[in-house]
Amino acid sequence: MMKSTLEPECTGQFSPLFIDYIQKDESLRPFYNQYPSLENFESIVQERKFDQGKRKVLRATLEKQYEGFELTEKVQGNIQALEDGNTFTVTTGHQLNLFTGPLYFIYKIVSTINLAEKLQQTYPNYRFVPVYWMASEDHDFEEINHFTYEGKKYTWNSGQKGAVGDFELDAQLQGLIKELCFAPDFFKRAYQEKQNLAEAVRDYVNYLFDDKGLVIVDGHDASLKQLFKPIIKDDLLSNQANELVNMQTENLEKLGYKSQIFPREINFFYLDKGLRSRIVKTEEGFEILDTGEQIKKNVMLDLVEEHPEKFSPNVVLRPLYQEYILPNIAYLGGPAEVAYWLQLKLVFDRYQTDYPMVMPRNFAMILNSKAQRKMKALGLSKAEIFVDYDKWKKNYVLVHSQTDVSLEKEKEALGAIFEKMGKEAAEIDPTLKSSAEAAKTRALKVLEHFGKKLRKGEERNLETALRQMKDLKDILFPGGTAQERKVNFLEFYLENDDFISSLYQSFDPLDFDFIILEQDGRKSGA
């Protein structure tokens, strides 16, 4: 079995993160809570108030959600501890991607676990529980029904509709699983033995992270929605979230920041078997889009009271729902997530819900042994692998060419000849000077054209090096996108089942630099 050692090297801050800006831009202060630093968490913890009744509901709900699952003592202990007033959660959320989807799914959870552990060490009088919030109510199946392994895309095609967490693990998925000879047994067990997608995801995420006590929360739950009834009713009637987010968005745009999410008059979907459709206002009450069903105001409010589980918050109110039912102090997400939380502060203020510390997850790239060999052969620094390929190629050819493909000296000499000719001709006939200039322009164009041919010839001579760089780019930026947004973690986990453990050692959730991890590929003893 291949074993790998991962060693981090920081290469400068990852530009999409808002974290750079809030250090420098005081005008952003009204849009978030505090800057995410270890010392600032003390006041966040002390100020976080959470109803004891909610804690009891949360614990009982989680115990019910985990029925039938094998749990470590650490997971069990964390669930039980949530009823204690000194226990707080650190949360990340993500969709129910097939086989975890891209690498950054793993990065999110590792960052969250590491932050909880760091807080535990710093503030031992409290307990900090890492949480993965499953986006089980999402209905965009096309976003989650595939993953990429060794350059090949594997897709689960299903005609099911509604909340993806309710999707049955149908025959098409079972057929796909049988084709995946490389799939570890814990994945096969999850997809073959569980009843729906949410249960399968809980099963394999629990397998991967239960040793760290990760608690998995499914918000698609009647007991948890019971707690959220006042917010559901208020949004249906007052539409305040729409107004507040638009106000906050306008303020952000004045500062030059683009909107990430767009609220609606009503920010809830109607949820039923095979259905998740928007609720819109009508003169008589409400309509469920896609069905045409009309519901009078009093009937809709009765429905909220009796069946709150049929109401699913959209992207605007899902963060509020999460913070409303969890004793949460921090949320870790990707660049777009972190940015859209800035639009929500006024919504939290309206509903008197504590706004968490919002911070970016860790960002990383893994250099496998093949990538490292190519970098060494090309003499590339780690910073240079981020350079645009076409720019790099042009510069590489200029530096390594046997001739000066820019032909700068030749252009300078040719220009001087025509300048002299022009002056001499002008003494004979002043009108000949313009002819000499035109001739100079034509000659330089010919030389430029020849230079391009010369460059192409040098590129052919340097073909091996250029191909190595192209191959390197394909490894680290597959399809032109960041590795972590395309490649599945199995490419590294199957080579080294300590892969996730290595990430724990390499990631620091309070270090906002982009990390490069080297995988040395050395073999260990059997």
Side-chain angles (χ1 to χ4, degrees), residues 44-255:
I44 295 289
V45 172
Q46 290 174 350
E47 293 170 5
R48 185 66 164 108
K49 307 302 179 187
F50 197 73
D51 183 74
Q52 186 61 30
K54 289 183 180 180
R55 287 184 178 276
K56 290 182 178 180
V57 172
L58 179 62
R59 174 183 171 176
T61 300
L62 286 171
E63 288 176 343
K64 185 176 179 181
Q65 288 186 1
Y66 271 102
E67 284 180 1
F69 289 82
E70 293 183 11
L71 302 184
T72 61
E73 289 185 8
K74 197 160 188 179
V75 173
Q76 288 179 323
N78 278 344
I79 292 173
Q80 293 167 3
L82 288 170
E83 195 170 336
D84 186 277
N86 283 331
T87 299
F88 300 93
T89 60
V90 175
T91 303
T92 192
H94 200 69
Q95 296 164 298
L96 311 185
N97 293 74
L98 191 65
F99 280 79
T100 75
L103 266 169
Y104 70 86
F105 173 83
I106 302 295
Y107 295 171
K108 272 185 166 185
I109 296 179
V110 170
S111 300
T112 302
I113 288 170
N114 277 1
L115 179 60
E117 291 185 351
K118 182 165 287 216
L119 290 172
Q120 192 66 66
Q121 294 166 7
T122 307
Y123 304 106
N125 292 332
Y126 301 97
R127 184 159 181 164
F128 299 93
V129 175
V131 166
Y132 162 51
W133 178 284
M134 295 196 295
S136 55
E137 294 183 10
D138 188 16
H139 63 280
D140 195 342
F141 183 60
E142 285 69 28
E143 282 193 0
I144 68 163
N145 70 340
H146 59 276
F147 74 102
T148 301
Y149 175 75
E150 293 189 341
K152 183 176 179 180
K153 184 177 179 180
Y154 296 90
T155 304
W156 171 21
N157 296 306
S158 178
Q160 298 178 70
K161 302 293 182 183
V164 296
D166 292 335
F167 278 26
E168 296 176 358
L169 307 176
D170 58 21
Q172 203 284 328
L173 176 60
Q174 300 310 319
L176 176 63
I177 298 299
K178 290 179 181 178
E179 294 177 17
L180 306 179
C181 57
F182 57 83
D185 288 341
F186 68 86
F187 270 127
K188 293 179 179 178
R189 183 189 68 242
Y191 286 119
Q192 291 173 346
E193 295 182 4
K194 296 304 177 182
Q195 298 300 308
N196 58 40
L197 184 58
E199 287 187 5
V201 173
R202 182 187 295 275
D203 191 76
Y204 71 66
V205 172
N206 184 61
Y207 176 88
L208 290 170
F209 298 103
D210 63 354
D211 61 320
K212 293 291 186 176
L214 181 74
V215 173
I216 301 163
V217 176
D218 187 351
H220 183 17
D221 189 285
S223 298
L224 298 178
K225 292 281 181 71
Q226 283 282 342
L227 302 175
F228 205 51
K229 286 191 302 187
I231 312 298
I232 301 172
K233 291 179 181 179
D234 186 72
D235 191 64
L236 289 170
L237 299 176
S238 75
N239 313 130
Q240 281 294 296
N242 180 45
E243 295 178 18
L244 293 171
V245 173
N246 281 330
M247 186 187 307
Q248 192 83 327
T249 299
E250 184 178 341
N251 293 333
L252 277 168
E253 289 176 346
K254 288 177 182 177
L255 297 174

Side-chain angles (χ1 to χ4, degrees), residues 491-502:
E491 292 195 20
F492 306 99
Y493 181 85
L494 292 179
E495 195 171 287
N496 171 22
D497 54 13
D498 288 328
F499 170 68
I500 293 177
S501 297
S502 299

